[in-house]
Every structure is written in structure tokens, then in C-alpha cells.
């Protein structure tokens, strides 16, 4: 992968690959395991250069591009999107696709893009046998499972406040109300309950982790 990165960033040739440039910022590609995300100027010459680099890398390493698992995300301002997709036999994903469970879009994210997150949180909370868990167990589940899931989504996009409120409401119900019919007096908010002990959280957070 280091060799492929060097091939993409090589500027010694007159017909070199062009990434995205804005002022002093330059981005051409990102790696994650065996996945490659390429950011480039949308024109035929640039795509030909990229395919030439990938074919050269394939001949050297015997690692080949899987066109069936590849997607294009082309700006709607580009006039040759269909031509590029047809010429290189790579599916054009219009304006959005999901990568590692996160939505990647060239436009601002919509509320519907975060419905999979709400569904995932709901399934996690409802799949547990709530009556068999103690208060400390439910607290730890929220802190280290639900919170980590939300933090993972934050790496890829800004989560709308209405989605965060929905997650907080579901977590509060899971923490304080054992079963849908129970009505318990809630003296401390869920937000304050899940704070760490060093920041004023309840003492049982420390004892349950020991």
C-alpha cells in the first residue's frame, strides 16, 4: 500500500495524477485496510491516469481492482459523469454511498441518513434482557456501547441534535425504566448519571468498574 501511495503521489511525470486542491490543502487518497478512497478532479484524463497507475500496481503486486465493489461519487456540477462511469465500467453512486456503515455524501447529510444509527441503537437496547441487568450493568452498557457507537458515527459526519436527543431519550428509558410499564422517580438526569466519577458522576460508577 505504501508503494501504491507513492505511485499516486508521484509528480515526476508530466501527465501526473491530480487530487483535490484548495489553497494549501491537498488530498489525493486515503487507505483503510485493503480499501482505497481516491479524491480527484473529475475529467477523463485524470481517470485515465488513475487507471494506468492501478493497472501498473496490479501487474507488480498481483492485487487487482474489483470493479463490482467499486463506486464513483461525482459532483453534480460535472458534465461528463455518465461518460466517465461508462468508460471505466464503475457504477456511479449518484450523490451518496455507505462506507464501513457510515454515509458519505457530496451534499449535506439528511435526517434519513441517520436512521440506521437510530435503528442500531434501538436494536441494541431492546435485545438485552433488561430485567436481568442491574442498574450498574445498564449504566456500563450505555457508557461503553451506545456512546462508542455514536462516537464512531461522529468520525464521519455531524450528528443532528434531534438524532442525539432520540438516542438520549432511548438510553434514559433503558437506564431508569425496567420494562415499559414501570414508572420510577428519576432524581438524576441520564446525562449526569453517565458522567465519569472524576467529573462528578455517581460513586457507584467507580465501584462497578472495580
Amino acid at each position: 500500500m505504501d508503494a501504491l501511495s507513492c505511485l499516486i503521489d508521484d509528480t515526476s511525470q508530466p501527465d501526473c495524477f491530480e487530487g483535490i486542491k484548495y489553497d494549501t490543502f491537498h488530498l489525493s487518497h486515503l487507505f483503510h485496510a485493503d480499501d482505497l478512497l481516491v479524491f480527484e478532479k473529475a475529467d477523463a484524463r485524470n481517470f485515465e491516469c488513475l487507471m494506468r497507475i492501478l493497472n501498473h500496481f496490479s501487474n507488480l503486486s498481483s492485487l487487482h481492482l474489483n470493479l463490482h465493489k467499486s463506486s464513483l461519487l461525482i459532483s453534480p456540477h460535472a458534465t461528463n459523469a455518465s461518460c466517465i462511469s461508462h468508460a471505466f465500467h464503475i457504477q456511479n453512486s449518484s450523490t451518496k454511498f455507505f462506507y464501513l456503515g457510515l454515509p458519505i455524501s457530496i451534499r449535506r447529510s439528511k435526517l434519513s441518513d441517520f436512521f440506521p444509527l437510530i435503528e442500531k441503537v434501538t436494536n441494541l437496547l431492546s435485545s438485552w434482557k433488561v430485567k436481568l441487568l442491574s442498574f450498574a450493568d445498564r449504566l456500563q452498557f450505555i457508557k461503553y456501547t451506545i456512546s462508542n457507537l455514536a462516537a464512531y458515527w461522529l468520525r464521519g459526519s455531524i450528528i443532528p441534535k434531534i438524532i442525539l436527543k432520540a438516542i438520549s431519550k432511548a438510553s434514559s428509558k433503558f437506564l431508569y425504566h425496567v420494562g415499559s410499564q414501570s414508572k420510577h422517580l428519576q432524581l438524576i438526569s441520564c446525562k449526569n448519571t453517565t458522567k465519569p466519577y472524576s467529573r462528578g458522576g455517581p460513586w457507584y460508577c467507580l465501584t462497578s468498574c472495580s
Side-chain angles (χ1 to χ4, degrees):
M1 295 300 102
D2 287 339
L4 177 56
S5 180
C6 291
L7 290 173
I8 295 175
D9 287 335
D10 183 18
T11 58
S12 61
Q13 302 296 327
D15 194 22
C16 62
F17 175 78
E18 292 184 47
I20 296 177
K21 296 181 181 179
Y22 180 77
D23 199 12
T24 59
F25 176 78
H26 179 224
L27 178 64
S28 60
H29 61 284
L30 294 173
F31 282 111
H32 183 85
D34 58 348
D35 291 335
L36 170 65
L37 276 73
V38 181
F39 306 86
E40 62 175 296
K41 182 180 179 181
D43 61 50
R45 184 209 64 81
N46 215 26
F47 271 89
E48 289 176 0
C49 181
L50 175 62
M51 296 304 293
R52 186 167 60 250
I53 291 173
L54 294 176
N55 290 333
H56 180 53
F57 176 76
S58 297
N59 294 331
L60 295 175
S61 63
S62 298
L63 298 174
H64 303 286
L65 176 67
N66 190 335
L67 297 177
H68 299 290
K69 294 184 178 180
S70 301
S71 298
L72 292 174
L73 195 62
I74 303 177
S75 170
H77 301 291
T79 58
N80 55 350
S82 58
C83 296
I84 293 175
S85 177
H86 179 74
F88 298 101
H89 307 288
I90 300 178
Q91 179 183 1
N92 185 7
S93 297
S94 184
T95 59
K96 180 183 65 177
F97 67 90
F98 283 83
Y99 178 67
L100 299 179
L102 300 179
I104 295 180
S105 175
I106 57 179
R107 297 178 179 175
R108 179 174 296 182
S109 299
K110 301 179 181 178
L111 280 179
S112 58
D113 296 333
F114 297 91
F115 288 169
L117 172 59
I118 294 295
E119 183 179 0
K120 181 69 174 179
V121 170
T122 302
N123 290 338
L124 285 172
L125 296 179
S126 61
S127 64
W128 280 70
K129 301 298 182 181
V130 181
K131 294 183 179 180
L132 302 180
L133 296 177
S134 67
F135 185 88
D137 291 333
R138 299 196 300 274
L139 179 64
Q140 296 302 310
F141 183 73
I142 292 174
K143 289 176 63 178
Y144 296 107
T145 302
I146 304 302
S147 297
N148 286 341
L149 178 61
Y152 175 73
W153 274 68
L154 280 172
R155 297 178 182 180
S157 57
I158 298 176
I159 302 178
K161 290 183 179 180
I162 189 173
I163 299 297
L164 293 176
K165 288 182 179 179
I167 295 175
S168 178
K169 183 177 180 180
S171 299
S172 179
K173 183 178 179 181
F174 173 77
L175 180 63
Y176 290 109
H177 304 296
V178 183
S180 59
Q181 301 300 325
S182 59
K183 301 289 184 179
H184 294 293
L185 182 62
Q186 181 176 328
L187 300 179
I188 308 175
S189 68
C190 183
K191 179 180 179 181
N192 290 329
T193 306
T194 54
K195 282 183 178 180
Y197 179 75
S198 59
R199 297 181 57 187
W203 63 271
Y204 46 76
C205 292
L206 180 63
T207 58
S208 61
C209 295
S210 60

